[in-house]
mmCIF file of all heavy atoms in Angstrom:
data_model
loop_
_atom_site.group_PDB
_atom_site.id
_atom_site.type_symbol
_atom_site.label_atom_id
_atom_site.label_comp_id
_atom_site.label_asym_id
_atom_site.label_seq_id
_atom_site.Cartn_x
_atom_site.Cartn_y
_atom_site.Cartn_z
ATOM 1 N N ASP V 332 7.051 -12.168 8.698
ATOM 2 C CA ASP V 332 7.347 -10.773 8.474
ATOM 3 C C ASP V 332 7.773 -10.039 9.742
ATOM 4 O O ASP V 332 7.188 -10.279 10.817
ATOM 5 C CB ASP V 332 6.089 -10.090 7.886
ATOM 6 C CG ASP V 332 5.658 -10.689 6.575
ATOM 7 O OD1 ASP V 332 6.325 -10.404 5.525
ATOM 8 O OD2 ASP V 332 4.768 -11.501 6.502
ATOM 9 N N PRO V 333 8.703 -9.064 9.578
ATOM 10 C CA PRO V 333 9.151 -8.313 10.778
ATOM 11 C C PRO V 333 8.035 -7.592 11.557
ATOM 12 O O PRO V 333 8.152 -7.464 12.766
ATOM 13 C CB PRO V 333 10.101 -7.293 10.186
ATOM 14 C CG PRO V 333 10.592 -7.869 8.878
ATOM 15 C CD PRO V 333 9.429 -8.677 8.374
ATOM 16 N N MET V 416 2.737 -9.183 0.060
ATOM 17 C CA MET V 416 2.689 -7.866 0.680
ATOM 18 C C MET V 416 4.040 -7.083 0.644
ATOM 19 O O MET V 416 4.063 -5.908 0.269
ATOM 20 C CB MET V 416 2.135 -8.047 2.103
ATOM 21 C CG MET V 416 2.113 -6.823 2.981
ATOM 22 S SD MET V 416 3.672 -6.362 3.745
ATOM 23 C CE MET V 416 3.890 -7.616 5.002
ATOM 24 N N THR V 420 4.797 -3.502 -1.033
ATOM 25 C CA THR V 420 5.386 -2.421 -0.206
ATOM 26 C C THR V 420 6.534 -1.805 -0.986
ATOM 27 O O THR V 420 6.697 -0.552 -1.001
ATOM 28 C CB THR V 420 5.892 -3.059 1.099
ATOM 29 O OG1 THR V 420 4.794 -3.665 1.743
ATOM 30 C CG2 THR V 420 6.482 -1.983 2.026
ATOM 31 N N SER V 441 18.744 -3.300 3.933
ATOM 32 C CA SER V 441 18.165 -4.679 3.924
ATOM 33 C C SER V 441 17.805 -5.061 2.479
ATOM 34 O O SER V 441 16.713 -5.604 2.208
ATOM 35 C CB SER V 441 16.944 -4.799 4.857
ATOM 36 O OG SER V 441 16.799 -6.122 5.269
ATOM 37 N N GLY V 444 16.490 -8.554 1.304
ATOM 38 C CA GLY V 444 15.300 -9.110 1.961
ATOM 39 C C GLY V 444 14.055 -9.075 1.102
ATOM 40 O O GLY V 444 14.108 -8.800 -0.111
ATOM 41 N N ALA V 445 12.941 -9.342 1.737
ATOM 42 C CA ALA V 445 11.634 -9.469 0.995
ATOM 43 C C ALA V 445 11.327 -8.142 0.296
ATOM 44 O O ALA V 445 11.046 -8.124 -0.897
ATOM 45 C CB ALA V 445 10.529 -9.765 2.023
ATOM 46 N N VAL V 446 11.409 -7.013 1.014
ATOM 47 C CA VAL V 446 11.099 -5.719 0.381
ATOM 48 C C VAL V 446 12.313 -5.267 -0.486
ATOM 49 O O VAL V 446 12.146 -4.888 -1.610
ATOM 50 C CB VAL V 446 10.790 -4.649 1.490
ATOM 51 C CG1 VAL V 446 10.633 -3.277 0.857
ATOM 52 C CG2 VAL V 446 9.563 -5.019 2.310
ATOM 53 N N ALA V 465 23.546 -4.745 2.689
ATOM 54 C CA ALA V 465 23.087 -5.987 3.351
ATOM 55 C C ALA V 465 24.088 -6.437 4.342
ATOM 56 O O ALA V 465 25.208 -5.925 4.441
ATOM 57 C CB ALA V 465 22.808 -7.046 2.281
ATOM 58 N N GLY V 466 23.695 -7.476 5.128
ATOM 59 C CA GLY V 466 24.481 -7.896 6.319
ATOM 60 C C GLY V 466 25.430 -9.048 6.125
ATOM 61 O O GLY V 466 25.959 -9.550 7.118
ATOM 62 N N LYS V 470 25.013 -12.035 0.775
ATOM 63 C CA LYS V 470 23.799 -11.202 0.472
ATOM 64 C C LYS V 470 24.211 -10.041 -0.496
ATOM 65 O O LYS V 470 23.452 -9.696 -1.414
ATOM 66 C CB LYS V 470 23.190 -10.652 1.742
ATOM 67 C CG LYS V 470 22.467 -11.698 2.606
ATOM 68 C CD LYS V 470 21.831 -11.107 3.843
ATOM 69 C CE LYS V 470 21.043 -12.140 4.631
ATOM 70 N NZ LYS V 470 20.392 -11.574 5.847
ATOM 71 N N TYR V 485 27.150 -3.806 5.542
ATOM 72 C CA TYR V 485 27.156 -2.780 6.608
ATOM 73 C C TYR V 485 27.860 -3.308 7.858
ATOM 74 O O TYR V 485 28.230 -2.536 8.716
ATOM 75 C CB TYR V 485 25.775 -2.216 6.871
ATOM 76 C CG TYR V 485 24.855 -3.191 7.632
ATOM 77 C CD1 TYR V 485 24.799 -3.202 9.037
ATOM 78 C CD2 TYR V 485 24.047 -4.114 6.960
ATOM 79 C CE1 TYR V 485 23.964 -4.097 9.710
ATOM 80 C CE2 TYR V 485 23.234 -4.973 7.589
ATOM 81 C CZ TYR V 485 23.174 -4.970 8.991
ATOM 82 O OH TYR V 485 22.369 -5.863 9.652
ATOM 83 N N ASN V 509 14.759 0.591 5.381
ATOM 84 C CA ASN V 509 14.156 -0.594 5.998
ATOM 85 C C ASN V 509 14.600 -0.819 7.461
ATOM 86 O O ASN V 509 14.098 -1.679 8.113
ATOM 87 C CB ASN V 509 14.505 -1.855 5.215
ATOM 88 C CG ASN V 509 13.655 -1.973 3.938
ATOM 89 O OD1 ASN V 509 12.494 -1.738 3.974
ATOM 90 N ND2 ASN V 509 14.285 -2.362 2.835
ATOM 91 N N VAL V 510 15.640 -0.019 7.868
ATOM 92 C CA VAL V 510 16.300 -0.375 9.155
ATOM 93 C C VAL V 510 16.287 0.705 10.196
ATOM 94 O O VAL V 510 16.411 0.387 11.392
ATOM 95 C CB VAL V 510 17.762 -0.869 8.851
ATOM 96 C CG1 VAL V 510 17.774 -2.023 7.924
ATOM 97 C CG2 VAL V 510 18.673 0.282 8.377
ATOM 98 N N CYS V 531 10.176 2.983 5.376
ATOM 99 C CA CYS V 531 9.357 1.768 5.241
ATOM 100 C C CYS V 531 9.410 0.962 6.520
ATOM 101 O O CYS V 531 8.408 0.399 6.970
ATOM 102 C CB CYS V 531 9.930 0.963 4.059
ATOM 103 S SG CYS V 531 9.156 -0.643 3.913
ATOM 104 N N GLY V 532 10.608 0.841 7.106
ATOM 105 C CA GLY V 532 10.729 0.053 8.318
ATOM 106 C C GLY V 532 11.891 0.510 9.177
ATOM 107 O O GLY V 532 12.726 1.360 8.669
ATOM 108 N N ALA V 533 11.997 -0.009 10.329
ATOM 109 C CA ALA V 533 13.040 0.426 11.272
ATOM 110 C C ALA V 533 13.490 -0.805 12.084
ATOM 111 O O ALA V 533 13.516 -0.781 13.315
ATOM 112 C CB ALA V 533 12.568 1.557 12.191
ATOM 113 N N ILE V 534 13.841 -1.897 11.358
ATOM 114 C CA ILE V 534 14.052 -3.170 12.080
ATOM 115 C C ILE V 534 15.136 -3.089 13.138
ATOM 116 O O ILE V 534 15.088 -3.823 14.124
ATOM 117 C CB ILE V 534 14.264 -4.295 11.107
ATOM 118 C CG1 ILE V 534 14.082 -5.647 11.800
ATOM 119 C CG2 ILE V 534 15.585 -4.221 10.349
ATOM 120 C CD1 ILE V 534 13.949 -6.845 10.855
ATOM 121 N N SER V 535 16.101 -2.152 12.962
ATOM 122 C CA SER V 535 17.174 -2.077 13.983
ATOM 123 C C SER V 535 16.622 -1.545 15.337
ATOM 124 O O SER V 535 17.341 -1.600 16.334
ATOM 125 C CB SER V 535 18.290 -1.185 13.507
ATOM 126 O OG SER V 535 17.919 0.179 13.541
ATOM 127 N N TYR V 537 13.225 -2.308 16.512
ATOM 128 C CA TYR V 537 12.045 -2.975 16.963
ATOM 129 C C TYR V 537 12.222 -3.705 18.300
ATOM 130 O O TYR V 537 11.275 -3.937 19.037
ATOM 131 C CB TYR V 537 11.490 -3.997 15.961
ATOM 132 C CG TYR V 537 11.011 -3.408 14.594
ATOM 133 C CD1 TYR V 537 10.782 -4.267 13.531
ATOM 134 C CD2 TYR V 537 10.809 -2.037 14.434
ATOM 135 C CE1 TYR V 537 10.374 -3.774 12.311
ATOM 136 C CE2 TYR V 537 10.387 -1.557 13.209
ATOM 137 C CZ TYR V 537 10.154 -2.411 12.165
ATOM 138 O OH TYR V 537 9.745 -1.952 10.938
ATOM 139 N N PHE V 564 4.925 5.252 5.553
ATOM 140 C CA PHE V 564 3.693 4.695 4.988
ATOM 141 C C PHE V 564 3.471 3.311 5.521
ATOM 142 O O PHE V 564 4.390 2.639 5.946
ATOM 143 C CB PHE V 564 3.762 4.695 3.456
ATOM 144 C CG PHE V 564 4.655 3.640 2.879
ATOM 145 C CD1 PHE V 564 4.105 2.518 2.198
ATOM 146 C CD2 PHE V 564 6.024 3.761 2.930
ATOM 147 C CE1 PHE V 564 4.933 1.571 1.632
ATOM 148 C CE2 PHE V 564 6.843 2.786 2.406
ATOM 149 C CZ PHE V 564 6.307 1.694 1.754
ATOM 150 N N ILE V 565 2.195 2.900 5.497
ATOM 151 C CA ILE V 565 1.806 1.558 5.902
ATOM 152 C C ILE V 565 1.051 0.939 4.749
ATOM 153 O O ILE V 565 0.103 1.543 4.230
ATOM 154 C CB ILE V 565 0.897 1.602 7.171
ATOM 155 C CG1 ILE V 565 1.659 2.179 8.380
ATOM 156 C CG2 ILE V 565 0.331 0.188 7.495
ATOM 157 C CD1 ILE V 565 2.829 1.344 8.888
ATOM 158 N N ILE V 566 1.509 -0.189 4.272
ATOM 159 C CA ILE V 566 1.079 -0.718 3.017
ATOM 160 C C ILE V 566 -0.438 -1.042 2.958
ATOM 161 O O ILE V 566 -1.054 -0.935 1.910
ATOM 162 C CB ILE V 566 1.915 -1.968 2.597
ATOM 163 C CG1 ILE V 566 1.722 -2.302 1.145
ATOM 164 C CG2 ILE V 566 1.616 -3.168 3.534
ATOM 165 C CD1 ILE V 566 2.061 -1.203 0.168
ATOM 166 N N LEU V 611 14.550 -13.373 11.664
ATOM 167 C CA LEU V 611 14.495 -12.144 10.922
ATOM 168 C C LEU V 611 15.356 -11.075 11.618
ATOM 169 O O LEU V 611 15.953 -10.220 10.947
ATOM 170 C CB LEU V 611 13.060 -11.595 10.855
ATOM 171 C CG LEU V 611 12.054 -12.362 10.042
ATOM 172 C CD1 LEU V 611 10.656 -11.770 10.256
ATOM 173 C CD2 LEU V 611 12.394 -12.295 8.547
ATOM 174 N N PHE V 612 15.416 -11.159 12.921
ATOM 175 C CA PHE V 612 16.102 -10.068 13.665
ATOM 176 C C PHE V 612 17.600 -10.412 13.894
ATOM 177 O O PHE V 612 18.286 -9.631 14.495
ATOM 178 C CB PHE V 612 15.350 -9.871 15.011
ATOM 179 C CG PHE V 612 13.954 -9.379 14.763
ATOM 180 C CD1 PHE V 612 12.915 -10.245 14.606
ATOM 181 C CD2 PHE V 612 13.734 -8.037 14.582
ATOM 182 C CE1 PHE V 612 11.627 -9.823 14.278
ATOM 183 C CE2 PHE V 612 12.426 -7.578 14.270
ATOM 184 C CZ PHE V 612 11.385 -8.466 14.121
ATOM 185 N N GLY V 614 19.151 -11.579 11.001
ATOM 186 C CA GLY V 614 19.580 -11.598 9.595
ATOM 187 C C GLY V 614 19.756 -13.052 9.113
ATOM 188 O O GLY V 614 20.480 -13.223 8.116
ATOM 189 N N ASN V 616 17.516 -15.017 7.806
ATOM 190 C CA ASN V 616 16.770 -15.252 6.534
ATOM 191 C C ASN V 616 17.602 -14.601 5.401
ATOM 192 O O ASN V 616 18.224 -13.561 5.595
ATOM 193 C CB ASN V 616 15.367 -14.591 6.602
ATOM 194 C CG ASN V 616 15.438 -13.064 6.714
ATOM 195 O OD1 ASN V 616 16.064 -12.562 7.681
ATOM 196 N ND2 ASN V 616 14.848 -12.342 5.807
ATOM 197 N N GLY V 618 16.512 -13.614 1.827
ATOM 198 C CA GLY V 618 15.346 -13.542 0.947
ATOM 199 C C GLY V 618 14.081 -13.524 1.779
ATOM 200 O O GLY V 618 14.124 -13.445 2.997
HETATM 201 P P1 LIG U 1393 13.698 -8.763 5.436
HETATM 202 O O1 LIG U 1393 13.392 -9.891 4.493
HETATM 203 O O2 LIG U 1393 14.557 -7.665 4.957
HETATM 204 O O3 LIG U 1393 14.260 -9.438 6.703
HETATM 205 C C1 LIG U 1393 14.726 -8.687 7.777
HETATM 206 C C2 LIG U 1393 16.250 -8.361 7.562
HETATM 207 O O4 LIG U 1393 16.521 -7.177 8.306
HETATM 208 C C3 LIG U 1393 17.225 -9.347 8.092
HETATM 209 O O5 LIG U 1393 17.435 -10.450 7.213
HETATM 210 C C4 LIG U 1393 18.460 -8.512 8.257
HETATM 211 O O6 LIG U 1393 19.172 -8.490 7.024
HETATM 212 C C5 LIG U 1393 17.893 -7.128 8.532
HETATM 213 N N1 LIG U 1393 18.152 -6.761 9.908
HETATM 214 C C6 LIG U 1393 17.803 -7.453 11.057
HETATM 215 N N2 LIG U 1393 18.157 -6.774 12.136
HETATM 216 C C7 LIG U 1393 18.833 -5.680 11.712
HETATM 217 C C8 LIG U 1393 19.461 -4.580 12.395
HETATM 218 N N3 LIG U 1393 19.501 -4.514 13.717
HETATM 219 N N4 LIG U 1393 20.025 -3.614 11.630
HETATM 220 C C9 LIG U 1393 19.996 -3.654 10.290
HETATM 221 N N5 LIG U 1393 19.392 -4.663 9.589
HETATM 222 C C10 LIG U 1393 18.803 -5.636 10.282
HETATM 223 O O7 LIG U 1393 12.307 -8.172 5.932
HETATM 224 P P2 LIG U 1393 11.216 -7.402 5.048
HETATM 225 O O8 LIG U 1393 11.771 -7.121 3.726
HETATM 226 O O9 LIG U 1393 9.966 -8.177 5.199
HETATM 227 O O10 LIG U 1393 11.019 -6.040 5.824
HETATM 228 C C11 LIG U 1393 11.992 -5.007 5.661
HETATM 229 C C12 LIG U 1393 11.535 -3.780 6.474
HETATM 230 O O11 LIG U 1393 10.312 -3.291 5.883
HETATM 231 C C13 LIG U 1393 11.193 -4.105 7.925
HETATM 232 O O12 LIG U 1393 11.637 -3.021 8.714
HETATM 233 C C14 LIG U 1393 9.674 -4.161 7.931
HETATM 234 O O13 LIG U 1393 9.154 -3.887 9.163
HETATM 235 C C15 LIG U 1393 9.328 -3.129 6.879
HETATM 236 N N6 LIG U 1393 8.042 -3.303 6.255
HETATM 237 C C16 LIG U 1393 7.179 -2.209 6.268
HETATM 238 C C17 LIG U 1393 5.963 -2.259 5.650
HETATM 239 C C18 LIG U 1393 5.112 -1.094 5.655
HETATM 240 O O14 LIG U 1393 3.919 -1.167 5.384
HETATM 241 N N7 LIG U 1393 5.643 0.103 5.920
HETATM 242 C C19 LIG U 1393 5.472 -3.526 5.051
HETATM 243 C C20 LIG U 1393 6.466 -4.593 5.009
HETATM 244 C C21 LIG U 1393 7.702 -4.454 5.620
HETATM 245 P P3 LIG U 1393 20.762 -8.232 6.993
HETATM 246 O O15 LIG U 1393 21.439 -9.540 7.033
HETATM 247 O O16 LIG U 1393 20.949 -7.513 5.707
HETATM 248 O O17 LIG U 1393 21.112 -7.391 8.202
#
Side-chain angles (χ1 to χ4, degrees):
D332 298 284
M416 176 280 286
T420 302
S441 205
V446 175
K470 289 181 176 181
Y485 73 90
N509 282 318
V510 302
C531 173
I534 195 164
S535 74
Y537 297 167
F564 73 109
I565 297 295
I566 195 58
L611 291 172
F612 297 89
N616 64 304

